[in-house]
Amino acid sequence: MAAKYLSIAQEIKQRILSQRYPATEPLPDQLALAAEFNTSRMTIQQAMRQLIVEGIIYARQGQGTFVRKNFRQLSQWDVAGSDYFGATETWRHLGEVTSQVIAFEVRFPDEKEQTSLLISADAPVYDFIRLRLVNGEPISLDMTVMPVALVPGFNKSHLESSVFRYVRETLGLKMMGSYRVVRACKPNARDREYLNCDETDPVLELEQVIYLEDGTPLEYAHCHYRYDHGGFVMVNNG
Amino acid sequence: MAAKYLSIAQEIKQRILSQRYPATEPLPDQLALAAEFNTSRMTIQQAMRQLIVEGIIYARQGQGTFVRKNFRQLSQWDVAGSDYFGATETWRHLGEVTSQVIAFEVRFPDEKEQTSLLISADAPVYDFIRLRLVNGEPISLDMTVMPVALVPGFNKSHLESSVFRYVRETLGLKMMGSYRVVRACKPNARDREYLNCDETDPVLELEQVIYLEDGTPLEYAHCHYRYDHGGFVMVNNG
DNA sequence: GAGTGGTCTAGACCACCAC
DNA sequence: TGGTGGTCTAGACCACTCT
């Protein structure tokens, strides 16, 4: 069974979405909610905290708790979320997503890769490049490096389906975080070839490290996106 | 006085940074910490939760609480933080930051601005453009639109110091969130003139809405950054 | 002063993991 | 089975805002 505070949060969220709690007035106070849900005020507060971090409500000492007038539906490439670029998911609504393996090799890591993945120079890594297309149009070119030791039994066929599903479901590893830098850069030869870029077309580059729940880096990747297919969305709630 | 759980979180963070709690073994358990800090376990948990959202530690039921092997020092343009681009703060360590007002006008908003700021077509807006330089080198060009009604007494002199300080300290408004999209684009005429861009130099564009604590949009801005001065850092902890 | 959310206590039971 | 973190209780006092 889910925790009580989570089901209360869920219920309150529903009431907000269904306008039963209108955005024009404060929510019932914590004592009233505690009575209604037959629980303690601490538990109500835990539910509230949940909704606060989700950006749905905010609370003011001495005033009350309010619905955000303007909490947005996330769209496009939701960075705040937690899908770790099973990019398929992200773009599915745009059309048919396909993937093409451009390269798949094993080699030793360079210095930058060693420090990013926290491995030594003689720990082999997989190095693969994938092109993603939506309705046949190239969208992104992903260059990924992954320590061999972390993914036993890994092979090229996993690239064609989902690397993350393999890691999660077969190996039982949980992805718990990412570190990303996004920048603009000029297209290199590979971008021009596979993303069909012109010399003057900028490229949106995402450099990322994805790590497991204990902080072990799982992959280090550079993803290049065509500049005309959107951007990254970042939401920040005080 | 700060809340007890915050000072405990601060103290534990110090112990982690000073290696007194090494990353190789779990932290003392919550009962032991409660005894040491002469408080209840709930309060210790609140301190822990604080450090968890900061990405410094993680907890596993049945195992213990651990220091993240790999929590990074944020750098450059820290998006996870909350400084809302008093860009001065962000770049101060790079050198002397100066600002130059390129334009300052009042006009009516276009359609996109109306929907972004949730105002009507006849609600006037300030429209200003600022160039930011570090050690005399142009870094970013910011084009901002702000509803006149929200910032009484606003004038050009505020642009030369800090708009946010004026809004916060003089008007007493609190900024509580932002919605941002970052993308790559080709330089326009203004970028080439002020950022000293070549035709083929990409530009990193940040489109953002910053809103007040009740969800009222305060400003809608487009910030253009030279591509060779870094990128945006995004950290995500599961 | 009344009413709100923020914090804190001193316990309790449960879920999960390692041994 | 023992030890860990996760949740929960039924109160309490404090800080803040509004009237």
Side-chain angles (χ1 to χ4, degrees):
Chain A
M1 197 196 70
K4 189 188 278 193
Y5 78 94
L6 288 176
S7 40
I8 293 174
Q10 185 60 34
E11 169 63 21
I12 292 176
K13 189 192 224 168
Q14 280 311 315
R15 294 184 185 178
I16 291 170
L17 291 174
S18 68
Q19 319 267 330
R20 176 162 159 199
Y21 289 156
T24 53
E25 50 183 316
L27 263 58
D29 67 81
Q30 299 178 349
L31 229 42
L33 288 171
E36 184 199 332
F37 287 101
N38 194 28
T39 186
S40 72
R41 212 183 123 216
M42 280 294 285
T43 301
I44 294 296
Q45 269 204 325
Q46 212 167 348
M48 293 308 205
R49 185 166 43 235
Q50 180 65 27
L51 298 178
I52 288 170
V53 304
E54 290 180 28
I56 295 174
I57 63 174
Y58 63 96
R60 287 291 157 265
Q61 214 169 23
Q63 296 175 261
T65 304
F66 307 85
V67 178
R68 274 196 195 281
K69 285 177 189 150
N70 189 24
F71 77 95
R72 294 166 188 261
Q73 298 297 356
L74 305 186
S75 62
Q76 289 195 20
W77 306 347
D78 172 17
V79 169
S82 53
D83 86 52
Y84 299 109
F85 287 75
T88 327
E89 293 303 321
T90 315
W91 295 328
R92 179 171 297 164
H93 66 284
L94 299 177
E96 192 203 13
V97 179
T98 54
S99 195
Q100 198 175 311
V101 179
I102 306 294
F104 180 58
E105 295 169 9
V106 180
R107 59 175 174 79
F108 293 111
D110 66 25
E111 229 169 78
K112 183 77 170 79
E113 291 159 356
Q114 289 166 42
T115 61
S116 294
L117 293 172
L118 297 177
I119 56 176
S120 60
D122 53 5
V125 293
Y126 294 114
D127 173 357
F128 47 89
I129 301 178
R130 284 177 298 179
L131 180 67
R132 296 185 198 281
L133 310 96
V134 176
N135 294 332
E137 289 287 315
I139 298 291
S140 81
L141 190 64
D142 301 357
M143 290 138 287
T144 309
V145 175
M146 217 176 207
V148 168
L150 284 182
V151 283
F154 187 71
N155 64 52
K156 195 175 175 182
S157 78
H158 298 122
L159 295 180
E160 274 131 27
S161 55
S162 166
V163 172
F164 286 107
R165 189 180 309 135
Y166 175 71
V167 169
R168 192 179 58 241
E169 293 174 9
T170 309
L171 299 177
L173 301 176
K174 289 176 189 161
M175 272 83 67
M176 285 301 276
S178 62
Y179 178 87
R180 294 171 170 155
V181 182
V182 57
R183 59 175 77 88
C185 60
K186 298 186 182 187
N188 60 31
R190 236 180 349 226
D191 297 329
R192 292 197 297 274
E193 176 178 355
Y194 293 108
L195 292 176
N196 203 20
C197 282
D198 190 87
E199 292 274 354
T200 65
D201 288 347
V203 163
L204 186 64
E205 178 182 72
L206 180 72
E207 179 185 0
Q208 67 179 350
V209 178
I210 290 179
Y211 49 91
L212 303 173
E213 59 180 348
D214 64 352
T216 308
L218 171 67
E219 72 157 53
Y220 174 56
H222 289 81
C223 308
H224 283 192
Y225 300 90
R226 277 189 63 95
Y227 81 106
D228 51 6
H229 280 77
F232 288 95
V233 175
M234 302 180 279
V235 178
N236 178 356
N237 294 297
Chain B
M1 193 194 76
K4 188 186 279 192
Y5 79 94
L6 288 176
S7 39
I8 293 175
Q10 185 60 33
E11 168 63 20
I12 292 177
K13 189 191 222 166
Q14 281 310 314
R15 293 185 185 178
I16 290 170
L17 291 173
S18 68
Q19 318 268 332
R20 176 161 159 199
Y21 288 158
T24 53
E25 51 182 314
L27 263 58
D29 67 80
Q30 298 179 347
L31 227 42
L33 289 170
E36 184 200 331
F37 287 102
N38 193 29
T39 186
S40 71
R41 211 184 125 216
M42 280 293 286
T43 301
I44 293 297
Q45 269 204 326
Q46 212 167 347
M48 292 311 204
R49 185 169 41 237
Q50 180 66 26
L51 297 178
I52 288 171
V53 304
E54 289 179 28
I56 294 174
I57 62 175
Y58 62 97
R60 286 292 159 268
Q61 213 169 27
Q63 295 174 260
T65 304
F66 307 86
V67 177
R68 273 197 196 280
K69 286 176 188 153
N70 191 24
F71 82 93
R72 294 164 190 260
Q73 297 297 356
L74 304 188
S75 61
Q76 292 191 16
W77 308 344
D78 174 15
V79 168
S82 53
D83 86 52
Y84 300 109
F85 287 73
T88 329
E89 292 302 322
T90 315
W91 294 328
R92 179 171 295 164
H93 66 286
L94 298 177
E96 192 203 14
V97 180
T98 54
S99 196
Q100 199 176 310
V101 179
I102 307 293
F104 180 58
E105 296 170 6
V106 181
R107 59 174 174 79
F108 291 111
D110 65 25
E111 227 168 80
K112 184 78 169 77
E113 290 159 356
Q114 291 166 44
T115 61
S116 294
L117 293 172
L118 296 178
I119 57 177
S120 61
D122 53 5
V125 293
Y126 294 115
D127 174 355
F128 46 90
I129 301 178
R130 285 176 298 178
L131 180 67
R132 297 186 196 282
L133 310 96
V134 174
N135 293 331
E137 289 286 316
I139 297 291
S140 81
L141 189 64
D142 300 357
M143 290 137 286
T144 310
V145 175
M146 215 174 209
V148 168
L150 284 182
V151 285
F154 188 69
N155 64 51
K156 195 175 175 181
S157 79
H158 297 122
L159 295 181
E160 272 131 29
S161 56
S162 167
V163 172
F164 286 107
R165 189 180 310 133
Y166 174 71
V167 170
R168 191 179 59 242
E169 294 174 9
T170 307
L171 299 178
L173 301 175
K174 289 176 189 160
M175 272 84 67
M176 285 301 278
S178 61
Y179 177 87
R180 293 169 170 157
V181 182
V182 57
R183 60 174 78 88
C185 61
K186 297 186 183 189
N188 60 30
R190 240 183 344 230
D191 296 330
R192 292 197 297 273
E193 176 177 356
Y194 293 107
L195 292 176
N196 202 20
C197 281
D198 190 86
E199 292 274 354
T200 65
D201 288 348
V203 163
L204 187 63
E205 179 182 72
L206 181 72
E207 179 185 0
Q208 67 179 352
V209 178
I210 290 179
Y211 49 92
L212 302 173
E213 57 180 350
D214 64 352
T216 308
L218 171 67
E219 72 157 51
Y220 174 56
H222 289 81
C223 307
H224 282 193
Y225 300 91
R226 276 188 62 94
Y227 82 107
D228 52 6
H229 280 79
F232 287 96
V233 176
M234 301 180 278
V235 178
N236 177 358
N237 295 297

